[in-house]
Amino acid sequence: MLQEKNLYIPLIQQKIAPTKVIAESPTDAAVDAFGELNKKSKIAKTRVNRLYTVARGRGKNAFLNNTNFNDQIEFISTKIANDFNPSNTPKAFNLLKDLKKTATNKNLNVNDLENWRKRASNSIGSDTSENAAIKATIKEYDSFVDNLMDDLVTSGDADKFKYWFKARTANKEFREKFSDNKIIAKILDKDKPLEPSEAFNLLFTPSAAGKGGVTRTVLKLKKVLSEDGFNKLKQGAFLRITEQAQKVASGEQGVKAFKNVSGTAAVITRRIQSAFGPNIAILVDRLLAPITSQYKTGQAKLLSSGGIDQISLPGGYLSGVSATVGQSEIGDT
């Protein structure tokens, strides 16, 4: 009976998130979705590097007015000093000294600044605490240069720096999509590669599901991935929820439910709806709400139809999906 009922799972997956090939497991979904993410990241990075190559060739005579640079770099130094101990992160503070020195060049051009950034990126090594300080320094530098670009546009110097603008704009778009978000950056980290299942666990575990940062990451992935790629991610999330519910229902020891009895269940459901839309939120509610009751009452009643082994298709759910399939799901239908 269970095997027969489980045949409904692909039908629900296809209703919730249509894909060309239905995901067979959360790991299968992760392989496809994160494989696409990695491919897009590499393509975008290659474009950034090419634009910087052109910009450096044209930047030798693109000189900058560095009158106010010292004050702005001092502001960066103060912020980094507030967040990190100089004695524990000497590389970062040596980079700041280097930046101050660079900014005092009599004929400062854009290549001088970008060469500093390259040195900073190359200084990232195996020391985790040092890396955090270096990355924070680079992030502050990027913010400073982004503001500088805006100033150059308003001052009428845009044409002189147009190749730098193109490279910087492409790099900013790359950061927004692939590196500013900590979870996405961790998924794409080539120095510490994750197995697909490990990457998937950053988003869809009982402890991760209720975190606001995870919701923001899923919404970011929706913008970056193709429709098919994001739908594959949704199918994987559905399979993970079903998998956990089945384990709880079977009485497996040590398994945590996606919902709990502390009153945060509604928050988790709202965030899942925010990320994935109303259809999957309905499923979460119908599939897992009885588990909360189980924890409260100590009874093994999971669904009115009899139990999780029979809820691969919850009572009345398929018709519920059909009724809501046309609703907006963060821009999807």
Side-chain angles (χ1 to χ4, degrees), residues 54-332:
V54 174
R56 289 189 183 99
R58 304 296 183 100
K60 297 175 182 177
N61 298 316
F63 297 106
L64 294 161
N65 182 350
N66 60 351
T67 304
N68 299 317
F69 276 21
N70 283 337
D71 290 341
Q72 295 178 63
I73 294 172
E74 190 60 40
F75 173 80
I76 294 174
S77 299
T78 301
K79 192 173 189 309
I80 298 300
N82 288 335
D83 295 336
F84 299 93
N85 187 332
S87 62
N88 296 333
T89 55
K91 282 186 180 180
F93 287 89
N94 285 336
L95 284 170
L96 286 168
K97 290 178 183 178
D98 185 15
L99 180 58
K100 289 179 183 178
K101 183 179 179 181
T102 300
T104 59
N105 288 353
K106 185 176 181 180
N107 295 312
L108 180 69
N109 62 37
V110 295
N111 285 354
D112 294 329
L113 289 181
E114 289 307 308
N115 286 337
W116 175 88
R117 193 189 190 285
K118 190 174 183 179
R119 291 196 296 275
S121 296
N122 290 340
S123 69
I124 297 174
S126 58
D127 190 318
T128 305
S129 59
E130 280 275 53
N131 288 348
I134 293 170
K135 289 178 181 179
T137 302
I138 294 173
K139 184 176 181 180
E140 291 299 324
Y141 164 83
D142 284 334
S143 178
F144 155 62
V145 175
D146 288 343
N147 291 331
L148 176 61
M149 286 174 58
D150 292 338
D151 292 340
L152 291 172
V153 170
T154 58
S155 67
D157 289 334
D159 189 60
K160 185 169 64 171
F161 298 99
K162 65 181 179 181
Y163 296 103
W164 191 40
F165 285 168
K166 286 182 179 179
R168 290 290 309 179
T169 299
N171 188 43
K172 184 178 181 181
E173 291 174 354
F174 175 86
R175 298 195 317 263
E176 289 173 348
K177 289 181 178 179
F178 304 108
S179 65
D180 283 351
N181 183 286
K182 292 182 180 179
I183 297 177
I184 292 178
K186 191 170 184 178
I187 291 171
L188 295 173
D189 190 346
K190 61 182 180 181
D191 295 326
K192 295 180 179 179
L194 298 174
E195 292 292 331
S197 58
E198 293 177 311
F200 201 78
N201 286 345
L202 295 175
L203 299 173
F204 306 114
T205 60
S207 58
K211 294 181 179 178
V214 171
T215 302
R216 288 190 293 273
T217 299
V218 173
L219 291 173
K220 175 69 71 174
L221 288 171
K222 177 176 175 24
K223 294 180 180 179
V224 176
L225 294 172
S226 65
E227 182 179 1
D228 196 60
F230 186 71
N231 279 351
K232 188 62 71 71
L233 196 68
K234 286 200 283 188
Q235 287 195 4
F238 161 71
L239 290 174
R240 173 56 59 80
I241 292 168
T242 304
E243 186 180 85
Q244 290 294 114
Q246 288 172 332
K247 288 180 179 179
V248 172
S250 66
E252 186 171 326
Q253 295 297 315
V255 176
K256 296 180 181 179
F258 273 85
K259 291 189 139 196
N260 53 52
V261 298
S262 65
T264 61
V267 175
I268 295 176
T269 301
R270 283 199 301 271
R271 285 175 176 164
I272 289 175
Q273 176 164 338
S274 174
F276 288 123
N279 288 348
I280 202 166
I282 290 171
L283 179 66
V284 170
D285 220 27
R286 295 190 183 182
L287 195 63
L288 301 181
I291 296 173
T292 301
S293 176
Q294 180 189 20
Y295 275 98
K296 287 181 177 178
T297 65
Q299 297 177 355
K301 294 180 180 179
L302 297 176
L303 290 175
S304 58
S305 59
I308 204 71
D309 60 336
Q310 298 178 23
I311 63 77
S312 298
L313 183 65
Y317 180 70
L318 192 57
S319 59
V321 171
S322 300
T324 59
V325 74
Q327 294 181 15
S328 173
E329 294 192 5
I330 318 298
D332 282 347

